[in-house]
Amino acid sequence: MAAQQVKTGWTLRLSPDMAAELQEHLFPGDGDEHGCVIGASVVRTNRGVRLLARRLYLAKDGVDYVAGQRGYRMLTPTFVRDCVRQCQKEGLAYLAVHCHGGSNRVSFSSDDLASHKRGYPALLDILGEGIVGGLVFAQDAVAGDIWLPGGGRVELDQAVLTGWPIRVLRDKPMPMPTTDLTYDRQSRLFGDRGQAILAGQKVAVIGAGGAGSLIVEYLARLGVGHLVVIDPDRIDRTNLPRVVGSQVRDARVWLTDPARPRLVRALGERLATSKVRIAQRVARQANPKIQMEALKADVTQDDVAMALVDCDYLFLAADSMQARLVFNALVHQYLIPGVQVGAKVQVGKDGNLTDIFSVVRAVSPGFGCLWCNELIKPAKLQEEALTVEQRRQQRYVQDENVQAPSVISLNAVAAAHAVDDYLLSAVGLLPATYEPRWRRFHPSASVATRRAFPELPKKDADCSECSGTGRLGRGHEQRLPTK
């Protein structure tokens, strides 16, 4: 069967835990060949097809993975049958996996390809509309031969291991890109290949307020090629001190002055510039070539959240419980790493300052789940679902017009550390031994107690969001918790 060209790329995505388990199984240090099967959810997007690894079926040497009849090794018919049936039951693609020697280059042998021709048509018949494929891994490379219903056949473009660092495996190293002198100073740190990686990324920023506006500018100046910025709000005069790029005229302050009649103030609020439009203006001033999607909308709306399923990274800079809920689901369900950022100035009932801190919480498939760590409060979700009048009647808020304190420098601490983590991970500058932690920065703490406090987030093995029995890797098979 001849290979069929497609316009969009094919990507395999693996959670950090599954990637580590796969690495240990395929490369235990004996130099021999080992095998397994991956069951993957299939997500078709405008940027290509993503195979989200959901199940890993390890083949036991000498029992499930034995001496081949026409090649070196093979999966036994019984093991293949059981895996195919399980994939069919769950609606997953069936991907047979084995390993070869070498480091950053890999390809199928003639025996491998011949075995695909003998066996994959029958497996396609069993799966019906499912996908069948073969993957061969080296230590730092992967090749894939994907067979489609109806006779199509494509190659895997890459596999993305969504840990720290984010690792992207291909069948051979990327060619050296052309140097862009605009980014000469920063590419001296992470190289032209690193700059090319950033140019190919699609990154979402949820919330374009104090922290989000800073993140947008940082990413645009770094050369990220595609930004999606989401925020439903318009600027007002109280936002001006901390929203990057905002101007007095954006807030229509001459109309919203408290001395003005209520109807005039309401008109000024409706005419004020949206936060995403300001973010778009800032991003394009920093990088005229950037592809920018400015969505004046709520991420909890289904169509808005679905616009993020093909992103490479997510920044959550909105502090509502519903935004946290959708962000957390996107990370685990679609295997997209991300981070939640924020800053708080806490004031007691007596008006005295009780604490000041900025937080950076990395969230990756299977790690840092906001549900596991009790950062999504069911009571607050219920509160946010009520109307303003219902909240007032139930006294969930005393005065919805009184906002919490917010200062640009505190937002900048969180934004800078979060973008640094993304940058170093995406371009491969984090060491393989890097262990992610959540961090809380307390500028008012004494030098003796330090200002940065690391924290290892909790993990519930049976979590309905981040575990293998929950959303992890389910893709379109489960609905996002949107409105």
Side-chain angles (χ1 to χ4, degrees):
M1 186 181 297
Q4 176 180 319
Q5 288 190 342
V6 294
K7 295 181 180 179
T8 53
W10 286 68
T11 299
L12 172 70
R13 299 181 73 86
L14 298 98
S15 69
D17 288 346
M18 186 179 291
E21 188 177 5
L22 180 66
Q23 175 80 13
E24 182 178 355
H25 179 73
L26 293 181
F27 304 103
D30 59 4
D32 205 352
E33 183 179 301
H34 304 278
C36 60
V37 168
I38 291 175
S41 303
V42 181
V43 176
R44 291 174 171 83
T45 77
N46 291 333
R47 298 179 71 210
V49 180
R50 293 190 171 190
L51 303 172
L52 310 180
R54 177 158 172 81
R55 303 293 183 206
L56 180 60
Y57 308 103
L58 301 180
K60 186 175 180 180
D61 291 331
V63 177
D64 306 312
Y65 200 59
V66 298
Q69 298 174 355
R70 303 183 186 181
Y72 181 57
R73 292 277 192 270
M74 71 175 198
L75 296 169
T76 64
T78 300
F79 184 79
V80 171
R81 179 201 63 198
D82 292 345
C83 291
V84 168
R85 286 178 175 176
Q86 190 62 36
C87 288
Q88 181 189 38
K89 180 180 178 180
E90 297 192 50
L92 304 176
Y94 168 96
L95 305 173
V97 181
H98 71 286
C99 62
H100 284 179
S103 177
N104 61 356
R105 294 176 182 272
V106 71
S107 61
F108 292 102
S109 69
S110 57
D111 287 339
D112 292 334
L113 295 174
S115 71
H116 297 178
K117 291 182 179 180
R118 288 193 302 271
Y120 286 0
L123 298 183
L124 282 170
D125 288 340
I126 296 173
L127 287 177
E129 294 301 312
I131 290 172
V132 171
L135 306 174
V136 56
F137 281 84
Q139 285 282 358
D140 296 299
V142 65
D145 180 23
I146 312 298
W147 290 52
L148 311 177
R153 187 174 173 185
V154 297
E155 295 180 357
L156 186 76
D157 288 271
Q158 61 185 18
V160 179
L161 284 53
T162 59
W164 290 272
I166 299 169
R167 293 179 61 202
V168 179
L169 308 183
R170 300 178 176 83
D171 60 350
K172 56 183 176 296
M174 289 176 59
M176 183 61 69
T178 303
T179 301
D180 185 342
L181 293 179
T182 302
Y183 300 105
D184 176 67
R185 295 287 293 276
Q186 63 189 39
S187 62
R188 292 173 185 263
L189 170 64
F190 44 75
D192 292 334
R193 281 197 177 94
Q195 193 64 58
I197 289 171
L198 294 177
Q201 293 265 289
K202 178 181 178 181
V203 177
V205 182
I206 303 167
S213 64
L214 288 159
I215 292 169
V216 168
E217 177 160 32
Y218 296 162
L219 295 174
R221 292 192 180 279
L222 284 170
V224 171
H226 187 167
L227 280 184
V228 183
V229 184
I230 299 170
D231 196 301
D233 297 332
R234 296 182 183 274
I235 200 81
D236 67 47
R237 65 169 63 217
T238 68
N239 304 146
L240 295 175
R242 67 185 186 279
V243 174
V244 172
S246 62
Q247 302 171 9
V248 171
R249 66 183 182 184
D250 290 319
R252 305 297 194 268
V253 295
W254 61 91
L255 294 175
T256 58
D257 189 283
R260 293 279 194 177
R262 182 175 61 84
L263 290 177
V264 175
R265 296 199 306 271
L267 175 63
E269 291 169 0
R270 288 198 300 271
L271 295 176
T273 308
S274 65
K275 290 181 179 178
V276 293
R277 184 176 176 185
I278 295 170
Q280 184 177 51
R281 185 170 69 207
V282 168
R284 286 182 172 163
Q285 286 172 347
N287 178 10
K289 298 179 181 179
I290 197 168
Q291 183 176 348
M292 184 79 182
E293 295 180 58
L295 305 180
K296 184 183 179 299
D298 191 329
V299 74
T300 64
Q301 296 171 1
D302 187 65
D303 58 336
V304 177
M306 291 302 295
L308 306 184
V309 301
D310 62 351
C311 284
D312 298 299
Y313 204 87
L314 304 174
F315 286 86
L316 176 62
D319 203 32
S320 75
M321 287 296 140
Q322 290 182 330
R324 290 185 184 186
L325 180 69
V326 174
F327 162 82
N328 196 65
L330 282 165
V331 168
H332 301 295
Q333 192 166 325
Y334 289 93
L335 306 187
I336 307 170
V339 62
Q340 186 230 343
V341 301
K344 293 292 183 184
V345 179
Q346 295 182 337
V347 179
K349 293 182 179 180
D350 57 3
N352 292 326
L353 183 70
T354 59
D355 200 1
I356 306 173
F357 60 89
S358 306
V359 293
V360 179
R361 299 183 178 116
V363 186
S364 185
F367 174 89
C369 174
L370 300 183
W371 266 115
C372 288
N373 290 273
E374 301 177 357
L375 290 171
I376 299 174
K377 309 289 187 182
K380 289 291 290 181
L381 285 172
Q382 182 181 10
E383 172 189 333
E384 290 175 1
L386 299 176
T387 66
V388 172
E389 181 60 30
Q390 287 172 326
R391 289 199 301 269
R392 185 181 292 112
Q393 291 174 357
Q394 297 189 23
R395 297 186 179 181
Y396 279 114
V397 293
Q398 298 300 318
D399 187 346
E400 63 270 10
N401 295 317
V402 176
Q403 301 297 320
S406 183
V407 180
I408 190 172
S409 56
L410 297 177
N411 293 328
V413 171
H417 281 281
V419 174
D420 276 347
D421 290 347
Y422 158 72
L423 171 66
L424 298 180
S425 184
V427 303
L429 286 184
L430 289 179
T433 56
Y434 178 82
E435 296 184 359
R437 293 287 188 273
W438 285 1
R439 284 163 294 164
R440 183 187 291 249
F441 301 90
H442 290 258
S444 60
S446 66
V447 175
T449 59
R450 308 293 296 174
R451 292 189 175 189
F453 298 85
E455 176 186 2
L456 183 63
K458 296 180 291 185
K459 180 177 174 60
D460 181 353
D462 298 318
C463 176
S464 63
E465 298 294 301
C466 70
S467 73
T469 58
R471 291 185 182 274
L472 193 66
R474 286 187 65 88
H476 293 339
E477 295 303 311
Q478 184 164 348
R479 190 179 185 278
L480 288 169
T482 52
K483 297 177 181 177

